[in-house]
Amino acid sequence: MKRIFGAVLLIAGITMAVASCKKEPKQQPIEVAIQLMCEGLPFESEGVTVTLTDATGIAYESLTDATGVALFNVLAGPYTAAALHKEVIDGERIAYNGSNTNVLVEKGILEPYQIILNKVVSQQIIIKELYHSGCRTNDDQKSYA
């Protein structure tokens, strides 16, 4: 009788030890899409780098396809998405940049998150005057500042 009781206790102890060591299943990556937008329309430019940064500072990068969508496979949680694209058209330097701090990756999100890009066109700089030795501080004095 003592042997049977000891065997039952041993089996119960092993079962509890195995049950307590069970690990929770790993989180599976979720696919999330980021759509670039500019002036109310999709920014259909291939090869733009989009960065997705989580709360701990880990950054993931992906390139856009021809429709302006970048795809990521990341774990669920809050992220910040950002994009920057520079190009030169007819001698003008144009920069498109934007970010979205409200990207919450979770299962069931089918629509892509959007980054609204701001278009910045650089202007030419005209130098009107050039002082190689400074400028005269007073007409009476021959000194320069």
Side-chain angles (χ1 to χ4, degrees):
M1 190 67 151
K2 288 183 179 181
R3 286 184 183 179
I4 294 174
F5 185 69
V8 169
L9 281 177
L10 180 64
I11 292 172
I14 291 173
T15 304
M16 287 178 38
V18 169
S20 67
C21 290
K22 251 187 195 178
K23 293 182 180 178
E24 290 186 28
K26 285 187 175 182
Q27 254 189 333
Q28 295 297 319
I30 301 170
E31 185 174 84
V32 62
I34 307 292
Q35 169 74 57
L36 301 182
M37 302 289 288
C38 185
E39 298 173 349
L41 299 170
F43 186 73
E44 296 177 343
S45 183
E46 189 173 4
V48 177
T49 301
V50 179
T51 305
L52 198 61
T53 308
D54 70 4
T56 63
I58 297 173
Y60 305 92
E61 289 186 349
S62 180
L63 298 176
T64 58
D65 59 12
T67 62
V69 175
L71 297 175
F72 294 88
N73 284 311
V74 293
L75 298 178
Y79 290 86
T80 298
L84 171 65
H85 177 65
K86 297 177 185 178
E87 58 187 24
V88 177
I89 299 176
D90 296 330
E92 288 186 326
R93 298 166 98 190
I94 302 172
Y96 299 91
N97 63 0
S99 66
N100 184 349
T101 58
N102 297 321
V103 176
L104 182 59
V105 176
E106 57 189 9
K107 287 188 178 182
I109 303 292
L110 301 176
E111 293 294 317
Y113 286 95
Q114 295 182 350
I115 296 177
I116 308 298
L117 298 177
N118 297 313
K119 180 180 178 181
V120 179
V121 180
S122 66
Q123 302 292 324
Q124 292 181 349
I125 297 174
I126 298 175
I127 299 173
K128 182 180 170 192
E129 297 178 18
L130 181 65
Y131 296 107
H132 60 59
S133 297
C135 60
R136 202 168 272 184
T137 59
N138 196 342
D139 288 337
D140 299 344
Q141 300 172 352
K142 303 279 188 211
S143 63
Y144 291 88

